[in-house]
Amino acid sequence: MTVIYLILGCGLLVVSSLLLRLMRPASTWLSLVVFIGALICFIAEYGSIAGSFVSIASALLINLMVAFVFGKSISVR
Amino acid sequence: MRSISLKKLFLLHSWVGIVTGILLFIVCFTGALAVLSRPELKIWANPELHQLDTVPSEKVMTLINHYHQQVPKEFGKNIHVYLPTGHNTHLLTILFESHDGDENYDEEAAYAYQFDPRNFSLVNQYYGAADYFYEHRKTDAPSFIGHFHADLHLGRPIGLILTGFLGLTLLVSVVTGLFIHRQIIKELFTFRRKKGLDVIVNDAHKVMGIWGSVFHAIIGFTGAFLGLATVILLPAAAFVSFGGDQDKLVEKFTAMPETIVSNNYQATAIDTILLDAQTRYPKAKVIDLTVMAHNDANAQVYLRLIGGDAVASQLLQYSGDGKFSKSMSSFGDIPGPAIKVLELLFPLHFGNFAGVFVKLVWALLGLTTALLPLSGIMMWLTKRTRGSNPTLSEVAYQRWNRVIIGSCGGLVLATAILFPLQVLLNNFIPVQLHNGYFGPLFFLSWLVWCLFAVLPINYYRYLQVTLLITGGSCMSVLPLNMLLSSSHAFSSNNTLVTVVDISFLFIGGLIIYVSQRIMAKRQVLIKPTTQEVTI
């Protein structure tokens, strides 16, 4: 169960980060919603305090990775 | 006015970074590794812990009872048992302590017995000053790195004060950095990895600074607290509330007060207590226990637990007959929100509150904390060599780059060398002599690599060789282990050993790949210039 929660949580964080990268208002809000989904996964696994710490730290790391791998999104208009 | 303030903040950010940058890298890099040192890397480094699950509680009780009879009466008042979990000693250690010493010692004295956790045979016994025993415990590569991170091996209090102040400077750099990089939203994902090295370093500094800011600030604050608490905050608190009497303050807040011995015999049910703790907190791990007034009617037993549902470590109190009294923080049973915040500082700094996943996150974010001052210094140097009126000559620029590679790269190299050394020591050198190898090899290799910076060598080549040796050292761990040890990635039934061995191979390969990429990028940058000259 731990592995499932962790994979799901990290997956949601990656999606949240990719949505945030688009820099559009709608995607930013959607990114927040997806992040809350990830937060729930981590809280289910580690409890409220530890889960919150884990999800924030993981989000920081995953956003950093997304920045390193994908860089800034360029709008095609 | 606003731009003047920003300029001042920028100057503060730059100079704090320049003055403390290299030291900050040293502390942060070793800190990132130290996150994984206990228990993961410590278990890997000690073959005694490879096949270990849990120590049978009845065996612990039998050993305590047996050796209690062999020590003088006053040593039975305080018994410390360190379980071989990879958090403390690598052996099951039972320490009988007398706070008032005995006829030979005026200070705290101890009888210590250490057992191999695989077969419980007595490996080592000690009688002498308690402090001496703790200071001269067997060390290994991960513990050496952990201690180096804590006080830079400068001893206490100097080392602790220094690392504490470095935590404060990190905090200052994070706050000023956020103020001066106002376009945070625009730069959230700006990383142009196809551009030149200068642009990559610039972007990486900003991205790591912005995304890691919360983490860096927490690490800076908690690090400053941990460094300065015992040497500055504790005496200050004692001065304010206890007329400068630190012992009184410690006595007031100690979680384990002295127990009065009644001299009425009652067997202390250590096995029942250990089993009860494991039933109450099945996800947590008991790392040590303290028995006060052993086999007395007033006996008290304290168990320190780590992990499980609690974020911070917890202390369980039992009476000698095995009755559970209470669970409290390691500071004792003190009410109020301040103590809750205080006990959170430790797991937030060490990242040890929710298993290996969190430790990996902490280690990776810790590496970005280490790279931040380094990239900052590189940006500062590059800026001073540019423009119509550069303040730094090309020769000086190269010299500074060599200094950075020698000091910071040298540290990484010296650290990497410790792991194959650990494998060699485990297989060729008696355990009691291990402590004498880590310090000299670590500091000597670091010093030698720093001295290379004095030579007028191409700093790109210098960096490449540093990375190659570092990568090679990491990659050699698995083959060395396979060649020499009977417990390695493919033979031990321990997933942790397998993962660590293979991780070393992977990390070593990655470092060598990065060194090749840097050189390839360098070649691309040099080629057009050469062609222009040829034309």
Side-chain angles (χ1 to χ4, degrees), chain B residues 5-6 46 55 67 137 146 148 157 168 172 191 215 221 291 299 304 308 339 348 360 369 414 439 468 481:
Chain B
S5 302
L6 281 174
N46 292 285
V55 178
Y67 285 93
R137 279 178 294 179
F148 182 74
L168 287 180
V172 169
F191 185 69
F215 178 82
F221 178 73
V291 186
R304 195 180 305 279
I339 212 77
L348 277 177
L360 285 174
T369 315
L468 281 175
N481 234 342

Side-chain angles (χ1 to χ4, degrees), chain B residues 17 68 92 108 141 149 167 169 186 203 275 280 303 346 532:
Chain B
H68 187 187
L92 169 64
E108 279 185 20
H149 167 69
T169 60
K186 276 186 184 174
D203 285 351
L275 285 173
R280 277 176 195 274
L303 270 66
F346 293 84
E532 272 173 31

Side-chain angles (χ1 to χ4, degrees), chain B residues 485-530:
Chain B
S485 171
S486 56
S487 181
H488 54 76
F490 306 110
S491 72
S492 74
N493 290 323
N494 190 326
T495 320
L496 187 74
V497 176
T498 310
V499 170
V500 173
D501 268 357
I502 293 173
S503 298
F504 272 120
L505 191 73
F506 175 74
I507 291 166
L510 190 71
I511 293 170
I512 289 172
Y513 171 75
V514 168
S515 79
Q516 300 304 320
R517 281 297 303 264
I518 289 173
M519 284 315 279
K521 220 165 186 106
R522 171 75 171 163
Q523 296 301 331
V524 171
L525 284 172
I526 290 170
K527 260 182 190 168
T529 328
T530 323

Side-chain angles (χ1 to χ4, degrees), chain A residues 23 46 60 63-64 69 71-72, chain B residues 185-186 189 193 207 211 354:
Chain A
M23 293 287 178
Y46 296 118
L60 296 177
N63 282 323
L64 191 61
V69 175
K72 199 173 181 175
Chain B
I185 302 295
K186 276 186 184 174
F189 291 96
R193 63 195 155 99
V207 168
W211 281 117

Side-chain angles (χ1 to χ4, degrees), chain B residues 53 82 181 190 257 281 357 363 404 408 418 466 497:
Chain B
D53 191 18
Y82 299 103
H181 294 296
T190 305
Y281 303 97
F357 173 73
I404 294 170
C408 300
L418 291 182
T466 309
V497 176

Side-chain angles (χ1 to χ4, degrees), chain B residues 9-25 166 169-170 172-174 176 205 372-378 380:
Chain B
L9 282 176
F10 186 78
L11 275 174
L12 181 66
H13 183 78
S14 301
W15 282 106
V16 166
I18 293 302
V19 172
T20 63
I22 291 176
L23 266 178
L24 210 52
F25 173 86
L166 283 171
T169 60
L170 175 63
V172 169
S173 296
V174 171
T176 51
H205 183 78
L372 215 53
L374 208 58
S375 52
I377 296 173
M378 286 166 78
W380 189 85

Side-chain angles (χ1 to χ4, degrees), chain B residues 92 112 142 264 291-292 350 354 384 401 484 494:
Chain B
L92 169 64
N264 294 326
V291 186
M292 312 283 257
F350 303 127
R384 263 140 196 85
N401 273 305
L484 302 170
N494 190 326

